[in-house]
Amino acid sequence: MLQKMMARVPNATIICMGATYGVYPNRTGFDDSTGIYNNLGLSTLDYGRALADMCRLNGFESFVVGEECGWNINNIRAFVNNDGAYLHPNATGGARMAEVINRKIG
């Protein structure tokens, strides 16, 4: 996909964003210190890092939202909506993401 995008718009600035750090809010005693895990044992953070690795190999800008925005289990509720799992940014989280993007392309 990245190679096709580059071929179609070679002068564009393409920035890929890895998944946010996510946690399940209603799980008893949860401690998702590195995010939500799937049945393969991979977290949202793992997928974000894999995307960033692929971008580096292909010369694209990227960032792992949870890491570069500073989101973690202690502050996730300030930046991300409770939509069943804290995963999608709220207005404050969106503003923080914009700061990171501006720094990357600035």
Side-chain angles (χ1 to χ4, degrees):
M1 179 187 79
L2 292 173
Q3 291 171 347
K4 286 181 181 180
M5 289 171 59
M6 191 61 158
R8 289 183 184 160
V9 285
N11 295 322
T13 299
I14 299 170
I15 300 174
C16 296
M17 299 185 304
T20 62
Y21 170 89
V23 296
Y24 287 117
N26 296 321
R27 203 168 72 195
T28 303
F30 74 84
D31 180 18
D32 298 329
S33 59
T34 56
I36 298 171
Y37 286 87
N38 64 15
N39 60 356
L40 299 174
L42 299 171
S43 71
T44 54
L45 192 56
D46 293 326
Y47 283 98
R49 288 174 177 160
L51 176 64
D53 289 344
M54 288 306 300
C55 288
R56 273 192 294 279
L57 290 172
N58 287 284
F60 291 95
E61 288 287 336
S62 69
F63 73 98
V64 180
V65 174
E67 287 183 327
E68 295 197 40
C69 288
W71 300 347
N72 57 58
I73 196 151
N74 299 311
N75 65 13
I76 193 71
R77 289 170 179 86
F79 300 105
V80 179
N81 289 317
N82 179 358
D83 50 6
Y86 286 91
L87 189 60
H88 298 99
N90 59 24
T92 303
R96 177 69 184 127
M97 287 172 63
E99 290 173 14
V100 173
I101 292 167
N102 285 334
R103 187 176 68 234
K104 289 246 178 221
I105 65 174

